[in-house]
Amino acid sequence: NNGKKEKIKDDDIRNGMKLTMRVNNLGETSLPFVMKKLVKKANGESLAIKYGERVTYFMDPSKQYFVMDIDGYTLSKQVLSMWNTARSTMDSIIYDIGFHVTGRS
């Protein structure tokens, strides 16, 4: 494909992506109280990452890896505000991030 990014075309595959994030040491972090409550409510939950204006997927030219580009700048003001609060405390957070791809037979 001449070194170009190969776009994933199958909508079922593109819309079958999920993300799970879990904070393992929530009680020990320096997050503010309200942020801890919000994280606790959603901790370990999966959410769909739908292909669209905020997310694009493609296979690299060598077909060695799959790239998911999530544009965080298009998120809501509330989400960006929470991210800016959490970002300053990331050195105290131990977290796991998992990406899931729906299987089809």
Side-chain angles (χ1 to χ4, degrees), residues 49-104:
I49 304 173
K50 297 212 179 241
Y51 187 88
E53 61 186 60
R54 293 184 186 156
V55 180
T56 55
Y57 314 133
F58 58 89
M59 187 68 76
D60 86 302
S62 67
K63 296 190 185 238
Q64 296 283 323
Y65 55 90
F66 180 73
V67 177
M68 180 185 299
D69 182 13
I70 302 172
D71 184 0
Y73 292 105
T74 62
L75 298 173
S76 70
K77 288 182 182 179
Q78 294 88 353
V79 172
L80 288 175
S81 175
M82 290 185 333
W83 169 248
N84 288 331
T85 300
R87 187 172 53 180
S88 65
T89 64
M90 290 303 281
D91 59 341
S92 71
I93 298 173
I94 298 171
Y95 57 92
D96 295 324
I97 298 175
F99 293 93
H100 314 271
V101 180
T102 302
R104 306 260 191 253

Side-chain angles (χ1 to χ4, degrees), residues 14-53:
R14 292 189 306 184
N15 291 329
M17 305 292 272
K18 291 185 180 180
L19 165 79
T20 302
M21 184 168 173
R22 176 163 180 76
V23 176
N24 298 310
N25 65 334
L26 188 58
E28 302 165 13
T29 66
S30 54
L31 286 169
F33 175 77
V34 173
M35 283 289 294
K36 284 184 181 182
K37 294 290 274 182
L38 290 170
V39 170
K40 186 176 181 180
K41 185 176 182 178
N43 208 13
E45 295 292 320
S46 295
L47 62 105
I49 304 173
K50 297 212 179 241
Y51 187 88
E53 61 186 60

